[in-house]
Amino acid sequence: MTSGALPANPFVAAGMIEDPRLFVGRKDELHAIASRMKGDQPTSINIVGEKHIGKSSLLHYYVRTWQQRVLNNSNNYVVIYLPLRGVDCQTETGFYEAVAEGLLSHVQGWQQRSLQNCWKIKIKPLNRQAFSDAVKQWKQQGKLPVLCLDDFESLLKYPDKFDNGFYDNLRSLSPAPDNPRGNSHAAR
C-alpha cells in the first residue's frame, strides 16, 4: 500500500506494506536483525513463518529504516532488499547480477568508483567466482553487503540452476550464524 491516504483500518493490508507509516510493531524482530548485523561478528539470519504473516513487509521496512537501528558505523554497510520471485533471479547469473545492481545502486559519494570496480569484470555474464571475488573485495574495503532476500525458497524451484555449490558459496561469503540449526545467508 503506497497511497498517500492512510486507510481507516491500519490492520488491513493487501500484500506487502511498503508505506512505513502503515508498518506497526515487530520491534523485537527489528532489534534482533539489527543486533546480528552490527555485532562484532555479523551473522546471517532467516526469517521464517507461515504465508501472509508479514515477512516481506518486515524485510522491506527494515531496509528502509536500518540506519536508525545501526547508528554507529552505518557507512560500513550497503543494505538491499531483493525479491527473488522475479524473472531476473531464476538463474545463478541472474541472481548475481541482480545483487550487484542492487548493491551498486546504493553506493554513494567518493567510494562509488572503487566499489564499482570490484564488479567490473571481463567475465560477462557474472559468474560464481567473480561474484565471490567482488564481495570479498568489498569486505577488504570495509563495506559489508547486507542482502535482505525475500522469497528465498523460490530458488529451490530451480535445482538445476541453483546447485549445492551455489548455496555453499553463499555460506562461505558470510560469517556462520549463532544458531545451532544450521546457517543460511538469506532473510526472507
Side-chain angles (χ1 to χ4, degrees):
M1 298 185 72
T2 58
S3 161
L6 294 174
N9 182 349
F11 300 103
V12 174
M16 184 171 68
I17 298 171
E18 295 182 31
D19 185 339
R21 300 175 300 169
L22 300 177
F23 190 87
V24 178
R26 302 283 185 97
K27 289 183 184 352
D28 290 342
E29 290 87 349
L30 292 164
H31 176 73
I33 296 169
S35 66
R36 292 218 174 118
M37 181 176 142
K38 67 183 181 178
D40 289 338
Q41 188 169 15
T43 62
S44 299
I45 63 169
N46 286 326
I47 299 172
V48 296
E50 299 297 320
K51 288 185 176 198
H52 305 293
I53 63 167
K55 298 179 299 290
S56 296
S57 298
L58 175 65
L59 283 180
H60 191 269
Y61 183 77
Y62 184 78
V63 169
R64 300 221 18 208
T65 63
W66 72 271
Q67 288 177 311
Q68 299 164 15
R69 297 167 209 303
V70 183
L71 298 174
N72 297 336
N73 300 322
S74 65
N75 289 333
N76 294 348
Y77 304 99
V78 178
V79 181
I80 64 167
Y81 171 84
L82 184 62
L84 297 178
R85 63 187 160 274
V87 176
D88 295 341
C89 294
Q90 291 181 356
T91 66
E92 189 172 347
T93 298
F95 171 83
Y96 296 142
E97 290 177 354
V99 169
E101 182 179 315
L103 290 172
L104 289 173
S105 71
H106 285 80
V107 176
Q108 303 294 323
W110 63 271
Q111 291 181 319
Q112 192 169 24
R113 178 164 287 148
S114 65
L115 291 171
Q116 282 179 334
N117 287 338
C118 298
W119 299 99
K120 290 183 180 177
I121 54 169
K122 295 177 182 167
I123 302 170
K124 213 43 174 163
L126 195 57
N127 66 23
R128 188 179 297 168
Q129 186 62 52
F131 178 80
S132 297
D133 291 345
V135 170
K136 289 173 185 173
Q137 287 177 30
W138 269 41
K139 288 178 181 180
Q140 289 172 353
Q141 293 184 45
K143 279 290 187 193
L144 295 176
V146 177
L147 311 178
C148 293
L149 304 174
D150 194 10
D151 285 322
F152 192 76
E153 73 277 0
S154 66
L155 300 183
L156 299 175
K157 295 177 185 175
Y158 306 100
D160 56 322
K161 306 284 185 194
F162 299 98
D163 61 11
N164 287 340
F166 168 78
Y167 298 108
D168 289 342
N169 186 54
L170 283 184
R171 193 173 298 113
S172 75
L173 294 174
S174 177
D178 57 0
N179 80 45
R181 294 187 297 163
N183 56 5
S184 175
H185 305 286
R188 67 170 205 108

